[in-house]
Amino acid sequence: MRHARNFHIGLAVLFILFGGHFQVIPASGSEKEFNGQKDFISKGMMDIQLVSGPLFSSRILANGTPTTNSWQNGIRLGWILNNPTPKEFLLRGNIEAMIEGSHALVYQGPGTYWVGITALIRYNFVPPDSEWIPYIQAGVGVVHTNAYKDHSQDAIGQATEFNPQASLGIRYFFKEKWSVNFEGVFLHISNANLADRNAGLNFFGGFIGVSYLFDRSCLPK
């Protein structure tokens, strides 16, 4: 099946690109080189992420829409806006602004693809001395799709649609700047009644990916 092939290809690419960087964090003496309290996820850092995974359509809030399943790949660039809140704060964390470019292959349902750009806001929960960083995020952008050409459906009525979404995820930092990410996502596609057909599509799915944190001072000026 096409989605199974995409999954295996995605895993192979992630392994080739990042497998050589994986190493186990030492149990002792790690505080000096890897310590959540050092706030390596802190103000001014930038974050590049690759994510990939399936999205499955749901009829929640959109009855009568066609079954539409896809596989989405994305690349994100984030900018951490502030240092984590004080250590004593129960939900200690910081805010990250992100921009995402995405591409999805539709393997069931109208159309064959969509491509999009999305603005995201993420809140990183930063527990002291932890390699695990949970997060929540939400955003909206636009997608271009050819699904509107299928006039047997009322969900997608034009080439350009909006894609409001929300996610819940967690990152595991296996090195000071490298993490593997697991994310559950809800995504909606519709055109805000700008076209005659606008039943919309709702998706639930999950992404897996890798991230690299870097200091923006290393960028060319």
Side-chain angles (χ1 to χ4, degrees), residues 11-185:
L11 284 182
V13 170
L14 293 176
F15 178 80
I16 292 170
L17 291 177
F18 301 101
H21 295 279
F22 187 89
Q23 68 181 39
V24 177
I25 302 303
S28 62
S30 61
E31 291 81 1
K32 294 182 180 180
E33 60 185 60
F34 186 87
N35 185 324
Q37 186 60 28
K38 286 177 60 179
D39 297 334
F40 51 87
I41 185 166
S42 57
K43 182 178 179 179
M45 298 293 290
M46 299 196 75
D47 193 5
I48 187 166
Q49 303 180 7
L50 302 176
V51 295
S52 182
L55 293 170
F56 304 103
S57 66
S58 169
R59 294 187 177 183
I60 297 176
L61 303 178
N63 293 326
T65 58
T67 298
T68 307
N69 299 323
S70 64
W71 191 279
Q72 180 167 304
N73 303 297
I75 182 168
R76 299 168 176 169
L77 181 64
W79 184 10
I80 298 171
L81 302 180
N82 62 305
N83 288 319
T85 48
K87 181 178 179 181
E88 296 76 15
F89 186 50
L90 179 62
L91 300 179
R92 183 176 193 263
N94 56 17
I95 297 173
E96 183 174 357
M98 309 187 80
I99 191 78
E100 177 188 62
S102 61
H103 175 266
L105 297 173
V106 177
Y107 59 84
Q108 182 179 8
T112 58
Y113 76 91
W114 72 71
V115 294
I117 186 167
T118 306
L120 297 162
I121 289 291
R122 172 183 292 184
Y123 187 82
N124 296 295
F125 297 93
V126 186
D129 308 313
S130 177
E131 300 93 351
W132 295 92
I133 306 295
Y135 61 86
I136 56 174
Q137 69 184 31
V140 65
V142 294
V143 297
H144 182 277
T145 177
N146 61 357
Y148 75 99
K149 295 180 180 180
D150 182 346
H151 290 272
S152 68
Q153 52 83 35
D154 295 323
I156 303 298
Q158 62 181 25
T160 301
E161 305 266 322
F162 301 106
N163 65 340
Q165 57 192 270
S167 301
L168 177 66
I170 191 167
R171 308 169 66 174
Y172 174 67
F173 279 86
F174 57 86
K175 292 184 69 175
E176 184 175 354
K177 295 183 179 181
W178 291 92
S179 71
V180 59
N181 309 339
F182 305 94
E183 182 177 312
V185 60

